Amino acid sequence: MPQDLSSPLPDYLTRLNPEQRKAIETTEGPLLILAGAGTGKTRVLTTRFAHILLTGRAYPRQILAVTFTNKAAKEMRERVEVLMGEPVEGLWLGTFHAICARMLRRHAEYVGLQTGFNIIDTDDQIRLLKQVMEPFRLDTKRWPANQLMGIIQRWKDRGLTPDRVGVAENTDFANGHAVSIYKAYQDRLIALNACDFGDLMLHMVEILRSQPSVLEQYHRMFRYILVDEYQDTNTIQYMWLRLLAKRADGVSNIACVGDDDQSIYSWRGAEVENILRFERDFPGAEIVRLERNYRSTEQILAAASGLIAHNDGRLGKTLRPGKEDASGEKVRIIGASDSEEEASVVAKTVERLRREGHSLAEMAILMRAGFQTRPFEERLLATGIPYRIVGGLRFYERAEIRDCLAYMRALTQVSDDLAFERIVNTPKRGVGSVALQKLRLHAMAGAGSLQKAVKERLETKDLKGKSGLALQALMDAFAEAKERLPVEGHIVAVEKLLEDTGYLQMWRDDRSVEAPGRLENIRELLRAMGDFATLEAFLEHVALVMDVENEASETERVSLMTIHGAKGLEFDTVFLPGWEEGVFPSQRALDEGGNNALEEERRLAYVALTRARLRALVLHAARRRIFANWQSSIPSRFIDEIPSRYVQHSGYRAEHGYGAGRGGFSQQRDSVFASGPVVAQRPAAARPVRPSQGALAAARMPPGTSVFHAKFGEGVVLAVDGERLEINFENGGVRRVMANFVEICS
C-alpha cells in the first residue's frame, strides 16, 4: 500500500520526484516503469528493492531481482545495502543466467544432469559439436561448426529444444541435418554431465513447464520480482519471467523497468515486443512513466523526443528536463564537404573546447559502426589529442585489419616471414605446425624466406595433397597481385588478392554477429589506401600511426565508441558523425529488416542524442570515398525528423541552403550537390511503406521493372522472392533488398 502521507516520509523517499515515488510505493500487482534516458532508473529500482525490505513486505530471500550484467547486479546490491545500513544476505539477485544456474543446481535431475554439472565454454562447445557432426559426414568447409552453433544458440534463445523446432523454425543448413545434430549435441552434453551457457535458461524453462511442483515452489518463495532493462529481454528470458510471475492465485507482483525507446539489441535476440505487450500479459498492470531527465538540456531532450516520435512501435512518453535552467544550446547539425573535413571539424572543436577548459574525458565521438573510427583516430593522432577506443580495439589493432596488412606486407616484401606466417593458414590451408616448421628449416637452409621455401618445395613436388594445392593457389594469387600493382593500382590489387586467397570469403561465410562488422572494417581499410600513391607509402603510414603512443601521464582522453557501446553512459559533449543515408540508418540493417529495422535505427539515434548532457553535434558529409572514388551522400532522414526549432545548421550544406522541417533536405538536394555528380538521391516521396505492405510492393515490381534505391541508385528487377527483390543496380551490382525500400522509376 502507498505510504501514509500524514506521517513523515522516510529519508530515502524525500529526495524523489512524484513519479519516482509512485514507482517505488506501488508495491502490489504488476507494474511497468517506463524509464526514459537519464530519469533515475537505477535509483528507482534499488530504492524500490530497499523499500520492500524496510517496510517488512518481504524478507531478502523472497525477492527475485534480475539484471543483464554482473556489474549492474553488483551496483544494485551495494546501493540496497547502503539504504538498509547493513549487509543483506540471502538475496536472489543476479543476471538471468546466474540465477538460472543457481536454480538448475537444485533441480538438475529433471533434465538428466547431476548437481555438479559443468558449464562448458565456447571453445569446448565447438570442439564437442565437431565430434557430434562427424557421423553425418558433412563438408565442414561448407557447413562450419561455428555457424551451426550460432543456429543452435538462437534456437535456445527462443526456448526451442530439439523436439520443439518446427518446420517454420527449421533450416536447410547442414543438408537439413541441423535439428538432428542439435539433438545429438544435447544428448552428448547430458552424457558428459555438462551444459552450455544457453542451456542454463533453456533447462530451467523446461523444468518450470513440466514440473508443476517446482514452479509452485518458486511461486511460494518469491513474493516480488524486479526486472531491469526489460526492453532487452529475449524470448527465453521472457518465457522464464512469465512462468515465475503468473501465479495460480492470480497475484503477479512483478515490476519491470525499461524503455521501449532504447531497445537496440535485436541483433542479439532482444524482442521490443516483450515490453510493448506488458499490459496484455498482465491485465490491470500499472504503468508509471519517468519523464524527468536529470542529464540533458531542454534542447537536446526536445530534439530527441521529436525524433523518436516518428516511431509507431512505442508506448509513448516525452522527456522533459528535471533541472532548473536547463535550456542549453541547440543541437548543432554540421555539414562537411567530405569525410576528411568531417574528422577535421571534430578534432578542431575538441581542441577549442579543451582550450576553453572543458575536460577531454567529458567528450565522446559516437558512431553507428566500428569501421567509422579510422579517420577520427588518424586526425586525433595527427593533432596530438589523446583518445581511447571504448569497448574495442584501435582500428589498426583489430585482427582482420592485421591480417589484411600482413597480406600487403607479404606482397611487397617477400622476406617478411612474420607477415607470411600470419596469413599462410588464414583461411585454413592445411598448413599445420609441423609443416610450417619444415618450411622454416628449408628457408634457413638456403631459401632465405618462407615464400621462397614454399615456391621451391612446390617446384620439387615436396608439397602435395590439399595443402600443396592450397599453397600453390596462394602463391599464384601473390604473383597475379604483383602484376596488377603497376597496371591497376594498389587498391584493386590488394582487394583482388584478398578475394583470390579466400580471405574475404572466409568472413562472408562466418555467421557470427561480428562478421559483417569485420567486412565493413576491411572496406574502410581499402578506402584508407586511396589517400596514398603507393602500397609502400600506405604501409609506412600505418607503421608510424601504430607506433605513436599517448603520454603515459595523460589521463584525460576523448572516447571513441559505437552508439551501442555508449548505452548507459553520458558525456558533456557528444559528436555524432556519419548521419547519412546508408550509414545511419544502416543500409544493411534496412535491407535485412525493413521497417522494423528502421524503427530500431531510429531508437539508436535517440540513444545517441540522449548521451549528451550539454551539447550534441550531429555531422554529415556530402561525399565519402568508396575505394579510390568519391561518392556523394545525402543527409540521414533522422536529421530531417528532428524539429527544426531545436537545431542550428552550419557548415557545407548550410552555405548551400537548408529546407525547413520534414522533407526540407529532399527539396534542397539539387543545390546541395551542385558541386559534383549525385550517385544516389532519395526522392521526397520515397518513404518506406508498412512491412505488411511489403508483399504488395513486391507485387507491383515484376522482373523488368525499373526501380530506385536510396544507396544504389537506379536498377532493374531480376526476380521476386516474397517481399525481397533481386535487383541489378547501376552502382551496386546485383543485390537482394526489401521491396518497401525501393521506388518504381517514373
Side-chain angles (χ1 to χ4, degrees):
M1 293 184 60
Q3 181 78 26
D4 181 2
L5 299 180
S6 63
S7 61
L9 283 176
D11 183 61
Y12 62 84
L13 292 177
T14 58
R15 297 184 296 272
L16 304 173
N17 66 42
E19 296 83 14
Q20 292 173 330
R21 270 193 61 193
K22 184 176 181 181
I24 290 164
E25 295 181 292
T26 305
T27 57
E28 309 308 308
L31 172 67
L32 177 61
I33 305 170
L34 283 177
T39 57
K41 167 186 71 73
T42 304
R43 182 181 187 182
V44 167
L45 194 62
T46 54
T47 305
R48 178 184 172 85
F49 197 137
H51 178 71
I52 291 171
L53 295 176
L54 288 167
T55 56
R57 287 174 165 83
Y59 295 109
R61 66 178 179 275
Q62 294 176 312
I63 302 176
L64 172 64
V66 193
T67 67
F68 270 85
T69 66
N70 290 315
K71 180 182 177 183
K74 181 175 181 291
E75 182 182 0
M76 185 183 295
R77 178 184 294 272
E78 291 173 348
R79 289 196 183 194
V80 168
E81 290 181 342
V82 168
L83 289 169
M84 297 293 293
E86 60 182 6
V88 182
E89 303 297 335
L91 293 178
W92 281 78
L93 166 60
T95 64
F96 282 93
H97 290 88
I99 290 176
C100 280
R102 183 176 171 184
M103 287 180 169
L104 191 56
R105 298 285 180 196
R106 296 181 167 199
H107 313 289
E109 70 277 6
Y110 289 116
V111 289
L113 293 170
Q114 301 171 29
T115 301
F117 62 82
N118 293 317
I119 304 171
I120 64 173
D121 61 19
T122 304
D123 290 342
D124 286 339
Q125 290 175 34
I126 298 298
R127 191 176 298 113
L128 180 61
L129 187 59
K130 286 180 177 178
Q131 295 174 16
V132 170
M133 291 172 69
E134 285 178 3
F136 291 86
R137 301 186 180 281
L138 296 168
D139 181 351
T140 54
K141 290 184 178 179
R142 184 180 180 188
W143 314 113
N146 66 319
Q147 293 183 29
L148 180 54
M149 181 56 70
I151 293 170
I152 290 173
Q153 291 304 324
R154 285 193 290 275
W155 279 334
K156 292 184 177 185
D157 286 344
R158 291 162 59 194
L160 299 174
T161 55
D163 60 303
R164 291 180 184 271
V165 179
V167 175
E169 296 85 10
N170 206 342
T171 173
D172 59 1
F173 192 89
N175 286 336
H177 295 303
V179 175
S180 298
I181 296 172
Y182 177 20
K183 184 179 186 307
Y185 171 72
Q186 292 300 96
D187 291 344
R188 184 62 179 149
L189 283 170
I190 296 296
L192 294 171
N193 192 37
C195 63
D196 63 25
F197 200 61
D199 285 328
L200 296 174
M201 296 211 70
L202 183 68
H203 284 329
M204 273 314 304
V205 165
E206 285 302 301
I207 291 170
L208 295 176
R209 276 171 165 171
S210 62
Q211 303 297 325
S213 61
V214 175
L215 182 59
E216 176 59 26
Q217 174 186 335
Y218 286 110
H219 283 169
R220 290 195 307 270
M221 180 186 299
F222 299 132
R223 297 192 62 184
Y224 295 93
I225 299 175
L226 305 179
V227 187
D228 192 16
E229 302 286 9
Y230 190 60
Q231 79 281 348
D232 292 336
T233 52
N234 62 22
T235 302
I236 191 73
Q237 291 161 345
Y238 165 79
M239 294 166 65
W240 179 74
L241 285 168
R242 200 166 184 271
L243 282 164
L244 292 171
K246 287 278 189 177
R247 291 171 32 163
D249 60 7
V251 176
S252 296
N253 290 335
I254 180 170
C256 296
V257 181
D259 184 1
D260 52 322
D261 290 334
Q262 295 190 73
S263 181
I264 58 174
Y265 295 118
S266 66
W267 49 274
R268 66 184 190 195
E271 294 276 357
V272 69
E273 183 62 25
N274 292 348
I275 192 170
L276 297 179
R277 67 181 172 212
F278 188 86
E279 289 181 281
R280 297 199 301 272
D281 288 335
F282 301 98
E286 182 86 31
I287 295 185
V288 176
R289 287 172 168 81
L290 304 183
E291 299 175 312
R292 301 192 195 193
N293 175 287
Y294 295 92
R295 174 192 300 158
S296 306
T297 65
E298 182 179 4
Q299 301 281 0
I300 292 171
L301 296 178
S305 294
L307 171 63
I308 199 62
H310 287 83
N311 270 6
D312 292 326
R314 62 191 298 258
L315 295 171
K317 62 184 174 304
T318 302
L319 293 181
R320 57 185 187 276
K323 299 179 292 186
E324 295 181 3
D325 191 26
S327 58
E329 303 176 12
K330 290 184 176 183
V331 173
R332 289 189 59 193
I333 309 293
I334 304 174
S337 58
D338 54 42
S339 47
E340 275 75 8
E341 185 189 16
E342 179 186 58
S344 177
V345 167
V346 170
K348 289 177 180 177
T349 307
V350 167
E351 189 57 50
R352 175 179 61 78
L353 290 171
R354 181 163 68 165
R355 288 196 306 269
E356 294 173 358
H358 298 281
S359 169
L360 290 179
E362 291 299 339
M363 303 182 205
I365 305 171
L366 309 183
M367 286 147 288
R368 172 61 182 85
F371 74 89
Q372 293 174 259
T373 66
R374 184 200 61 81
F376 295 97
E377 286 188 64
E378 296 202 354
R379 179 63 61 176
L380 294 173
L381 282 168
T383 53
I385 298 173
Y387 72 92
R388 64 185 181 124
I389 300 292
V390 179
L393 298 170
R394 293 172 182 248
F395 184 81
Y396 291 114
E397 293 173 349
R398 295 165 182 167
E400 65 277 11
I401 300 303
R402 287 185 177 273
D403 288 344
C404 293
L405 293 172
Y407 271 103
M408 296 180 205
R409 287 164 49 198
L411 176 63
T412 59
Q413 291 290 336
V414 174
S415 59
D416 194 334
D417 285 354
L418 288 176
F420 189 74
E421 280 198 33
R422 182 179 181 99
I423 56 89
V424 69
N425 211 34
T426 306
K428 298 292 184 184
R429 298 187 176 91
V431 183
S433 57
V434 174
L436 190 57
Q437 181 61 20
K438 287 181 179 179
L439 289 173
R440 291 194 193 102
L441 292 173
H442 188 97
M444 288 187 289
S449 71
L450 288 176
Q451 284 198 58
K452 289 181 179 178
V454 170
K455 287 180 181 178
E456 290 180 5
R457 298 199 68 189
L458 286 170
E459 290 171 357
T460 58
K461 309 297 184 183
D462 290 332
L463 293 174
K464 302 177 181 178
K466 289 185 178 180
S467 63
L469 291 173
L471 286 172
Q472 182 65 64
L474 176 64
M475 302 315 296
D476 290 346
F478 275 120
E480 290 177 16
K482 287 176 182 177
E483 292 178 2
R484 284 194 182 92
L485 273 172
V487 180
E488 300 180 63
H490 56 296
I491 301 174
V492 173
V494 169
E495 183 189 8
K496 196 69 169 63
L497 175 64
L498 296 176
E499 195 69 74
D500 291 346
T501 56
Y503 185 77
L504 293 179
Q505 193 61 43
M506 177 186 76
W507 288 119
R508 291 191 195 108
D509 292 339
D510 192 309
R511 297 294 178 90
S512 68
V513 295
E514 296 88 3
R518 294 184 188 276
L519 285 167
E520 286 180 342
N521 290 338
I522 294 169
R523 284 192 286 269
E524 177 61 27
L525 179 71
L526 294 171
R527 282 195 287 270
M529 294 168 61
D531 293 332
F532 299 87
T534 65
L535 183 55
E536 290 80 6
F538 175 67
L539 289 172
E540 181 178 332
H541 164 76
V542 172
L544 293 173
V545 166
M546 295 179 71
D547 190 54
V548 174
E549 294 183 0
N550 294 318
E551 294 293 330
S553 60
E554 184 67 67
T555 56
E556 288 193 355
R557 300 165 188 253
V558 176
S559 296
L560 275 69
M561 68 187 86
T562 63
I563 302 171
H564 282 101
K567 188 170 180 289
L569 303 178
E570 56 188 74
F571 304 89
D572 286 348
T573 303
V574 169
F575 298 91
L576 304 172
W579 282 42
E580 298 136 27
E581 288 295 305
V583 179
F584 193 32
S586 161
Q587 193 61 52
R588 177 166 55 85
L590 298 185
D591 290 342
E592 293 175 358
N595 198 64
N596 288 339
L598 174 60
E599 294 218 343
E600 179 154 331
E601 291 286 296
R602 191 176 284 113
R603 292 194 292 269
L604 196 58
Y606 169 85
V607 167
L609 285 170
T610 54
R611 297 312 93 195
R613 295 194 197 101
L614 303 179
R615 58 190 69 83
L617 299 89
V618 174
L619 299 101
H620 56 93
R623 301 187 304 161
R624 287 194 182 274
R625 189 189 296 276
I626 305 299
F627 301 126
N629 302 314
W630 287 96
Q631 180 171 306
S632 297
S633 305
I634 59 177
S636 169
R637 68 192 75 188
F638 298 154
I639 293 176
D640 223 0
E641 292 173 353
I642 299 175
S644 59
R645 61 186 177 278
Y646 303 121
V647 299
Q648 175 187 346
H649 296 287
S650 63
Y652 180 75
R653 282 184 172 83
E655 296 167 2
H656 289 69
Y658 274 100
R662 294 195 68 182
F665 284 118
S666 57
Q667 295 163 11
Q668 292 291 333
R669 280 169 188 148
D670 288 342
S671 63
V672 164
F673 294 105
S675 58
V678 179
V679 174
Q681 296 184 20
R682 175 167 53 90
R687 296 288 182 182
V689 297
R690 293 282 179 254
S692 59
Q693 299 177 353
L696 294 175
R700 294 189 297 106
M701 304 176 191
T705 305
S706 295
V707 295
F708 176 88
H709 187 280
K711 180 177 181 182
F712 305 120
E714 292 189 5
V716 177
V717 177
L718 302 178
V720 180
D721 180 11
E723 296 186 15
R724 294 181 180 273
L725 303 175
E726 185 174 287
I727 303 172
N728 185 11
F729 289 106
E730 292 180 1
N731 301 314
V734 177
R735 293 179 179 270
R736 289 173 60 84
V737 301
M738 299 291 290
N740 54 347
F741 280 91
V742 296
E743 290 289 314
I744 297 175
C745 292
S746 56

